[in-house]
C-alpha cells in the first residue's frame, strides 16, 4: 500500500447514493486521478491517503484510495486555496485571499475559535461571519469524527454513515454500546460491530454483545430460509459465534423478549417481524377462506349446473379434463382460496386455462401474476392472458417511506386490488413476506388461486409457504398426478417424475431430449460444455446460445457458477474492439454479457423505450434472479445499461455493480421459476447436504426442450437416492391451525 498527499483540486464525478467519487489531487504541482468511496471529501481539502495505483483500461493510471485523513494546509497558499475552493459557502477566491492576507498562518484558528473576527474583513458582515463559523463547525465535527473513527479501523465510507446517523452523539454510543450500529445502520452487521467493540475494549461477556450476537444468529437463520430457530439450536449458534458458553447466552433471551426484540413461543425463538408475518398471514387466510356457494338447499342444483357448464367448456376448448382437473376447476369456482399443485406434465396449465375461460364467461375480472418476470412471461405465453410480477401487480413504490426498507406497495388493506379472481403461479418461490404483502391487498370475496409444484426447491427468502399451506389441510387443494400422453412423450417430464419418486433413470442416450455424457475430468467438462452451448445445441433446440442455461448446484469450486462464468464468458462473448468492457473484481463486464441481479433493489429505476427511444413505461424495482443483457458500457460517465425481461432498461453506476453478476452459469436455486429451451448441468462431486434429489428435480424441470448432464453416473444416482433436504423451521401451518381452533372455540 502506498501513501499520497495533496490538495483536492476538483471533483470529476460523485455518486450521491453511496459516495463513490472520482477526483483530481494536486500533489506538488502534479495531478493524480483518485477514486474511492469518498463522500466527505470536498474541493480545497488537503488529504493524506493510503491506497494503490491501478491501471484503468480507459482512463489509465489512477490512485484507488482505501483510507485517508484530512490535514490542515501547511502554508498560506494552501489555506487560501482551501477557502477559495467553494468548501465554505459565501467565500470565493478573492475573499479567501483577503482573509489569509489578514490572518496569515493563524487563519484556521481564527475560523474555529474567534470567527467573529472575520467581520474585520471588508465584505464580511457579522451575520455572514456567523454563517461561515457554523459551516466551519459542522465540517470540523465531521472531520473530528472521521479521525476518531479511523483510530478504530473504521473505513471512511462507514464513518460517514455513522456520523450521518448519530452526529456528535456517536462518541457516547460507541463507548456504551457499539452493537447499536448493527441495528441502526444498513451494511453494518454483527461482525463489523464486534470488531469495533473489541478495539474499543468491550468485554466478550458484555450483555450488549451477547444480545447483539443472538439477534445476528436469528438474522442469519432468516437468510437460510428459517422463520424461527429452536431454542437449543439458537443458544448453540450464538455461543459459537460469541466464543462463550450456552449458559452465558440463555439469560439474555428473556431480556430480549421483554424488550420485544424477539418472540418466545414454547421452544421456538422468532425475530418479531418473522413471527408476526406468519401470524398475519394466518389471520388473513382465515378471513379469505370462505365458501362461495353457501345455500345448502340450492347446492346440489348449483353443482349440477357447474358440471354442465364445465362440459360445455371442454367442448368449446376442445380439451378433456381428467377427474382431478375437473375437481380443481369446480373447487376454484366454489372457494375463496384454492390450491393447485402438481409436477411437470400433469396438466396444470390446461387446468388454469379452463378456470380462466370459465371466469371470463362469467364476466369476472382476473389478475394473473408470478414471483419473477420470467415466470410471469411463461404464464402469459401459456394462457394467452397478461401476467405480471406480483410486485408490479401490487404496484411497488420504491420511494423512501416510513418503512425501514425504503419501499412500499401501493396496494394494501386500505387500497385493495379491485378484481374478482387472482391466480398466482410458481407459489413455491413466494416467501412469507411477499405472501403477507399479497394477502394484505386481497379483499374478502375475491377468489385467490395459488398454483405451484410443492416438490420444487423452496423460496430464496424465509418460509416454505406453499408446503405449509398444503400440509395445514385447511384449504381446498388438488394435487395433479397423472402424466398426460403428450407430456409422456418427453423424457424430461418422465425422468423428472422418476427422480422425484427416487427411481433410476435411463442414461443410455436413446432419448431425444434427455442426454447424459459421462465425463470425470473438469477440463473435459469445460470443453464439451462450450461445444454444446456454442456449436451444437442452438440448432438442435432452435434457440441462441444465450438462451441455453448452465445450471450448477454450487457457487464455488471448479464447477461452481463463479468459475464457469469466467470460462463461458471467454468463449461465448470474447473480447473485441467493438465491445466496451469494464474491469470488476477478478474479471470484467463486457457489452453483450448475460448478467443477473443478485439482490432485491426496490429503488432501482427501469424504463421501457419505444423503437424510437421514447419512454413508454417506467417503474422501480429489480429483483433477485432477474436476468438480462449488458447493452452499453460508458466508461467515461461510469455506468452501464442492462436490458432485462420485458425490455426493461436499467442504468447501473459503476459503484452499483455489486448488484449484478455474470449469468452464463447460475445456481439451480437462482433458476427457480424460470424455463429455458435447453439446460446443461455439470454433476461431478459435492457435499451430500447439497447434492440431493430435490435439487436435481428442480434443475431438470427448468428445461423445456433438452437436458444434458455432464459428469459422474455415480453422483447422479447418489443424488436421486439422497432425500436429505435442508429442512426449514417454519410454523405457518401451526398458526393456521391455531386460527381455525380459535374460530371453532
Amino acid at each position: 500500500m502506498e501513501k499520497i498527499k495533496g490538495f483536492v483540486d476538483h471533483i470529476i464525478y460523485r455518486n450521491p447514493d453511496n459516495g463513490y467519487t472520482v477526483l483530481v489531487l494536486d500533489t506538488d504541482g502534479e495531478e493524480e486521478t483518485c477514486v474511492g468511496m469518498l463522500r466527505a471529501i470536498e474541493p480545497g481539502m488537503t488529504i493524506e491517503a493510503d491506497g494503490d495505483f491501478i491501471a484503468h483500461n480507459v482512463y489509465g493510471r489512477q490512485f484507488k484510495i482505501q483510507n485517508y485523513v484530512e490535514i490542515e494546509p501547511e502554508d498560506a497558499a494552501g489555506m487560501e486555496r482551501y477557502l477559495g475552493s467553494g468548501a465554505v459557502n459565501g467565500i470565493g477566491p478573492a475573499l479567501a485571499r483577503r482573509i489569509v492576507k489578514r490572518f496569515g498562518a493563524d487563519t484556521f484558528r481564527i475560523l474555529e475559535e474567534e470567527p467573529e473576527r472575520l467581520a474585520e474583513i471588508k465584505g464580511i458582515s457579522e451575520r455572514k461571519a456567523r454563517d461561515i463559523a457554523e459551516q466551519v463547525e459542522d465540517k470540523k465535527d465531521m472531520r473530528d469524527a472521521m479521525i476518531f473513527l479511523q483510530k478504530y479501523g473504521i473505513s471512511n465510507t462507514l464513518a460517514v454513515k455513522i456520523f450521518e446517523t448519530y452526529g456528535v452523539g456517536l462518541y457516547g454510543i460507541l463507548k456504551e454500546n457499539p452493537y447499536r450500529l448493527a441495528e441502526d445502520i444498513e451494511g453494518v452487521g454483527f461482525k463489523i460491530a464486534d470488531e469495533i467493540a473489541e478495539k474499543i475494549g468491550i468485554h466478550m461477556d458484555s450483555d450488549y454483545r451477547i444480545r447483539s450476537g443472538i439477534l445476528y444468529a436469528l438474522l442469519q437463520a432468516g437468510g437460510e430460509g428459517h422463520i424461527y430457530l429452536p431454542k437449543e439450536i439458537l443458544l448453540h449458534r450464538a455461543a459459537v459465534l460469541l466464543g462463550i458458553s450456552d449458559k452465558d447466552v440463555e439469560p439474555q433471551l428473556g431480556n430480549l423478549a421483554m424488550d420485544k426484540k424477539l418472540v418466545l413461543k414454547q421452544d421456538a425463538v422468532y425475530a418479531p417481524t418473522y413471527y408476526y408475518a406468519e401470524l398475519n398471514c394466518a389471520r388473513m387466510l382465515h378471513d379469505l377462506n370462505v365458501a362461495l356457494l353457501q345455500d345448502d338447499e340450492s347446492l346440489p342444483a348449483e353443482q349440477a349446473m357447474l358440471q354442465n357448464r364445465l362440459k360445455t367448456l371442454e367442448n368449446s376448448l376442445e380439451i378433456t379434463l381428467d377427474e382431478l382437473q375437473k375437481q380443481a376447476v369446480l373447487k376454484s369456482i366454489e372457494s375463496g382460496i384454492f390450491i393447485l399443485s402438481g409436477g411437470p406434465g400433469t396438466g396444470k396449465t390446461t387446468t388454469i386455462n379452463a378456470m380462466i375461460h370459465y371466469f371470463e364467461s362469467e364476466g369476472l375480472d382476473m389478475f394473473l401474476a408470478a414471483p419473477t418476470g420470467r415466470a410471469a412471461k411463461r404464464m402469459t405465453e401459456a394462457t394467452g392472458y397478461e401476467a405480471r410480477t406480483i410486485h408490479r401487480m401490487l404496484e411497488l413504490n420504491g420511494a423512501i417511506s416510513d418503512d425501514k426498507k425504503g419501499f412500499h406497495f401501493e396496494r394494501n388493506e386500505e387500497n385493495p386490488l379491485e378484481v374478482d379472481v387472482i391466480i398466482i403461479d410458481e407459489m413455491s418461490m413466494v416467501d412469507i413476506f411477499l405472501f403477507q404483502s399479497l394477502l394484505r391487498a386481497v379483499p374478502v370475496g375475491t377468489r385467490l388461486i395459488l398454483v405451484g409444484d410443492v416438490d420444487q426447491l423452496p423460496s430464496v427468502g424465509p418460509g416454505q409457504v406453499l408446503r405449509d399451506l398444503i400440509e395445514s389441510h385447511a384449504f381446498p387443494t388438488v394435487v395433479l398426478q397423472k402424466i398426460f400422453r403428450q407430456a409422456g412423450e418427453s423424457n424430461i417430464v418422465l425422468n423428472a417424475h422418476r427422480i422425484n419418486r427416487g427411481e433410476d433413470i435411463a442414461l443410455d442416450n436413446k432419448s431425444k431430449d434427455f442426454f447424459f455424457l459421462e465425463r470425470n475430468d473438469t477440463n473435459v467438462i469445460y470443453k464439451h460444455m462450450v461445444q454444446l452451448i456454442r456449436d451444437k445445441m442452438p440448432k438442435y433446440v432452435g434457440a441462441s446460445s444465450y438462451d441455453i442455461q448452465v445450471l450448477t448446484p454450487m457457487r464455488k469450486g471448479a464447477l461452481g457458477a463463479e468459475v464457469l462464468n469466467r470460462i463461458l464468458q471467454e468463449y461465448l462473448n470474447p473480447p473485441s474492439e467493438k465491445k466496451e468492457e469494464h474491469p470488476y473484481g477478478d474479471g470484467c463486464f463486457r457489452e453483450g454479457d448475460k448478467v443477473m441481479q443478485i439482490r432485491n433493489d426496490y429503488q432501482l429505476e427501469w424504463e421501457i423505450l419505444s423503437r424510437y427511444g421514447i419512454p413508454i413505461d417506467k417503474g422501480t424495482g429489480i429483483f433477485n434472479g432477474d436476468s438480462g443483457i449488458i447493452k452499453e458500457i460508458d466508461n467515461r460517465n461510469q455506468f452501464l445499461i442492462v436490458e432485462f425481461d420485458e425490455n426493461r432498461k436499467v442504468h447501473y453506476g459503476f459503484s452499483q455493480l455489486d448488484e449484478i453478476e455474470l449469468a452464463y452459469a447460475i445456481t439451480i436455486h437462482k433458476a427457480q421459476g424460470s424455463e429455458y429451451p435447453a439446460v446443461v448441468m455439470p454433476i461431478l462431486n459435492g457435499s451430500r447436504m447439497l447434492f440431493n434429489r430435490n435439487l436435481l428435480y428442480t434443475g431438470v424441470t427448468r428445461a423445456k426442450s433438452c437436458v444434458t448432464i455432464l459428469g459422474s453416473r455415480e453422483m447422479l444416482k447418489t443424488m436421486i437416492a439422497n432425500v436429505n433436504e435442508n429442512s426449514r423451521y417454519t410454523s405457518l401451518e401451526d398458526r393456521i391451525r391455531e386460527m381455525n381452533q380459535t374460530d371453532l372455540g
Side-chain angles (χ1 to χ4, degrees):
M1 191 170 288
E2 301 185 55
K3 283 189 179 293
I4 189 173
K5 183 168 72 172
F7 162 78
V8 180
D9 188 77
H10 64 280
I11 304 290
I12 297 175
Y13 166 81
R14 172 167 288 156
N15 183 315
D17 295 326
N18 60 18
Y20 178 81
T21 303
V22 182
L23 59 83
V24 172
L25 195 70
D26 187 329
T27 59
D28 294 329
E30 294 189 7
E31 292 187 345
E32 294 286 0
T33 301
C34 299
V35 298
M37 300 301 183
L38 313 170
R39 186 195 301 271
I41 288 185
E42 299 293 346
M45 289 171 57
T46 300
I47 63 170
E48 186 173 79
D50 297 318
D52 297 291
F53 284 101
I54 58 174
H56 192 281
N57 65 331
V58 174
Y59 300 113
R61 172 182 157 110
Q62 294 180 336
F63 188 77
K64 188 173 183 179
I65 295 177
Q66 300 295 336
N67 287 293
Y68 72 90
V69 292
E70 183 182 1
I71 57 178
E72 291 192 356
E74 297 173 350
D75 54 24
M79 295 179 193
E80 181 181 325
R81 197 163 44 185
Y82 171 75
L83 291 174
S85 67
V88 179
N89 291 335
I91 299 181
L95 190 53
R97 193 175 307 117
R98 293 203 297 273
I99 292 172
V100 174
K101 184 178 180 181
R102 173 72 176 82
F103 299 115
D106 211 23
T107 297
F108 278 171
R109 189 194 66 77
I110 294 293
L111 287 171
E112 293 179 2
E113 297 177 12
E114 301 179 77
E116 67 279 359
R117 290 189 58 191
L118 291 173
E120 297 174 13
I121 308 295
K122 185 179 180 181
I124 299 181
S125 64
E126 289 186 9
R127 181 177 177 180
K128 188 170 185 177
R130 286 195 299 271
D131 179 56
I132 292 171
E134 288 174 4
Q135 291 185 60
V136 170
E137 185 63 29
D138 289 343
K139 292 180 182 294
K140 180 179 181 295
D141 289 340
M142 165 76 86
R143 184 170 67 246
D144 290 347
M146 300 283 283
I147 293 170
F148 173 79
L149 294 170
Q150 284 168 0
K151 290 191 298 186
Y152 298 107
I154 298 173
S155 70
N156 294 312
T157 305
L158 180 54
V160 171
K161 282 186 177 181
I162 294 171
F163 183 79
E164 289 178 344
T165 302
Y166 303 122
V168 294
L170 68 88
Y171 304 102
I173 288 168
L174 288 179
K175 183 178 179 181
E176 181 185 353
N177 178 19
Y179 295 97
R180 271 190 59 184
L181 273 63
E183 299 179 34
D184 298 342
I185 301 176
E186 185 178 355
V188 179
F190 169 79
K191 291 185 177 179
I192 293 176
D194 202 33
E195 289 174 5
I196 295 169
E198 183 181 2
K199 290 171 181 173
I200 289 174
I202 302 292
H203 292 145
M204 282 187 67
D205 59 354
S206 158
D207 289 351
Y208 291 127
R209 181 171 187 265
I210 295 172
R211 288 159 65 108
S212 185
I214 291 170
L215 295 176
Y216 179 69
L218 270 182
L219 182 66
Q220 282 188 311
E224 297 166 12
H226 302 299
I227 295 294
Y228 71 90
L229 281 181
K231 179 179 174 182
E232 293 305 315
I233 292 177
L234 175 60
L235 289 175
H236 180 68
R237 284 192 179 196
V240 170
L241 174 71
L242 296 165
I244 58 178
S245 72
D246 294 19
K247 289 187 294 184
D248 291 328
V249 176
E250 187 167 8
Q252 294 303 329
L253 287 180
N255 293 333
L256 285 166
M258 288 179 63
D259 290 343
K260 298 185 178 180
K261 293 292 182 66
L262 53 78
V263 174
L264 296 175
K265 193 169 178 67
Q266 285 95 40
D267 191 44
V269 187
Y270 300 78
T273 53
Y274 289 64
Y275 176 78
Y276 289 109
E278 283 194 335
L279 190 62
N280 290 337
C281 285
R283 176 184 55 79
M284 291 184 285
L285 286 165
H286 177 270
D287 293 343
L288 292 171
N289 189 27
V290 293
L292 300 181
L293 297 180
Q294 296 179 344
D295 186 347
D296 292 340
E297 292 183 5
S298 63
L299 190 57
E302 289 268 12
Q303 290 181 332
M305 183 191 72
L306 287 175
Q307 291 280 4
N308 291 332
R309 294 281 303 278
L310 199 54
K311 188 64 179 175
T312 302
L313 189 65
E314 286 181 275
N315 293 333
S316 66
L317 295 175
E318 298 181 349
I319 60 172
T320 301
L321 301 174
D322 75 357
E323 286 307 310
L324 281 177
Q325 289 177 308
K326 289 178 182 177
Q327 186 181 343
V329 176
L330 291 173
K331 285 187 177 295
S332 74
I333 296 167
E334 298 167 353
S335 312
I337 294 176
F338 172 66
I339 301 169
L340 177 66
S341 184
T346 55
K348 290 198 301 292
T349 299
T350 300
T351 308
I352 293 170
N353 279 329
M355 294 175 187
I356 290 172
H357 281 87
Y358 174 84
F359 293 131
E360 186 180 44
S361 70
E362 289 290 296
L364 301 180
D365 293 327
M366 291 172 285
F367 284 166
L368 276 60
T372 67
R374 276 184 174 271
K377 184 178 180 182
R378 284 178 57 200
M379 197 179 186
T380 299
E381 292 168 350
T383 64
Y385 289 81
E386 181 193 4
R388 296 170 288 175
T389 64
I390 297 173
H391 291 85
R392 290 195 73 181
M393 181 179 72
L394 298 180
E395 298 176 19
L396 174 73
N397 187 330
I400 299 296
S401 69
D402 293 337
D403 191 315
K404 286 186 177 180
K405 293 180 182 176
F407 74 94
H408 63 278
F409 292 108
E410 296 290 348
R411 295 293 183 173
N412 50 38
E413 303 95 329
E414 297 176 358
N415 182 29
L417 295 164
E418 297 175 2
V419 69
D420 301 305
V421 183
I422 299 171
I423 304 177
I424 307 294
D425 199 7
E426 295 290 355
M427 267 300 299
S428 63
M429 296 181 66
V430 176
D431 66 34
I432 192 66
F433 293 115
L434 182 57
F435 192 51
Q436 177 180 229
S437 296
L438 171 67
L439 293 178
R440 281 175 171 163
V442 181
V444 174
T446 295
R447 291 177 175 84
L448 180 61
I449 300 169
L450 307 174
V451 184
D453 182 352
V454 75
D455 293 315
Q456 296 281 2
L457 289 169
S459 57
V460 174
Q464 47 184 9
V465 171
L466 182 61
R467 183 176 297 277
D468 281 353
L469 291 176
I470 292 174
E471 292 186 356
S472 73
H473 302 292
F475 311 101
T477 301
V478 170
V479 179
L480 301 176
Q481 297 172 335
K482 179 181 177 180
I483 303 175
F484 288 89
R485 185 183 63 81
Q486 61 268 31
E489 296 170 358
S490 165
N491 282 93
I492 295 174
V493 172
L494 288 175
N495 284 335
H497 285 276
R498 286 171 180 158
I499 290 167
N500 203 31
R501 294 192 297 264
E503 301 170 0
D504 287 339
I505 57 177
L507 302 176
D508 54 13
N509 291 329
K510 292 182 179 179
S511 166
K512 293 181 180 179
D513 62 3
F514 196 101
F515 303 98
F516 173 73
L517 305 178
E518 186 154 19
R519 303 289 185 269
N520 293 302
D521 183 287
T522 53
N523 289 318
V524 174
I525 290 176
Y526 297 154
K527 174 184 174 183
H528 286 284
M529 189 179 296
V530 170
Q531 288 177 342
L532 285 167
I533 297 169
R534 187 182 61 188
D535 305 325
K536 297 183 178 181
M537 295 186 80
K539 292 180 182 178
Y540 189 73
V541 298
S544 72
S545 60
Y546 275 58
D547 294 322
I548 298 164
Q549 187 63 55
V550 175
L551 299 182
T552 174
M554 52 207 174
R555 283 190 58 83
K556 304 290 184 180
L559 292 175
E562 293 178 2
V563 172
L564 291 176
N565 270 315
R566 289 198 292 269
I567 293 169
L568 293 170
Q569 181 194 43
E570 189 67 20
Y571 287 95
L572 301 180
N573 189 31
S576 166
E577 292 182 358
K578 297 179 180 179
K579 297 177 184 175
E580 289 285 342
E581 60 182 56
H582 174 69
Y584 187 77
D586 296 331
C588 74
F589 289 115
R590 186 175 296 134
E591 288 179 346
D593 272 338
K594 185 177 181 179
V595 295
M596 175 175 281
Q597 177 82 8
I598 59 172
R599 65 173 63 100
N600 291 338
D601 188 328
Y602 299 95
Q603 270 101 44
L604 207 53
E605 297 179 353
W606 54 262
E607 63 180 4
I608 299 173
L609 304 178
S610 71
R611 57 186 297 185
Y612 303 108
I614 300 171
I616 56 176
D617 194 7
K618 61 182 180 179
T620 58
I622 298 293
F623 305 105
N624 188 2
D626 286 352
S627 60
I629 302 292
I630 296 178
K631 291 296 185 179
E632 179 184 347
I633 295 178
D634 188 330
N635 280 299
R636 181 172 184 79
N637 293 304
Q638 306 265 307
F639 71 85
L640 58 77
I641 298 175
V642 177
E643 185 174 297
F644 288 97
D645 295 329
E646 302 174 311
N647 302 314
R648 294 170 299 155
K649 289 190 174 181
V650 176
H651 283 65
Y652 288 87
F654 283 174
S655 58
Q656 297 173 287
L657 297 185
D658 59 345
E659 295 199 7
I660 58 173
E661 65 184 17
L662 295 176
Y664 299 98
I666 62 174
T667 63
I668 295 172
H669 282 85
K670 290 284 190 185
Q672 292 180 85
S674 297
E675 184 179 72
Y676 309 96
V679 162
V680 177
M681 295 173 61
I683 305 289
L684 189 56
N685 50 52
S687 71
R688 177 173 173 79
M689 186 65 73
L690 182 63
F691 279 57
N692 57 41
R693 181 189 299 175
N694 189 219
L695 192 79
L696 181 62
Y697 172 78
T698 301
V700 166
T701 54
R702 298 307 88 205
K704 183 177 182 181
S705 302
C706 185
V707 170
T708 303
I709 298 175
L710 293 161
S712 162
R713 186 183 301 266
E714 289 306 312
M715 178 53 75
L716 199 57
K717 290 182 177 179
T718 299
M719 289 184 77
I720 294 172
N722 182 12
V723 295
N724 291 333
E725 296 180 27
N726 294 327
S727 59
R728 294 187 170 189
Y729 294 110
T730 67
S731 51
L732 179 59
E733 177 186 344
D734 297 331
R735 300 290 86 79
I736 290 169
R737 287 176 175 160
E738 289 172 359
M739 194 66 62
N740 290 343
Q741 288 169 0
T742 301
D743 188 53
L744 290 172

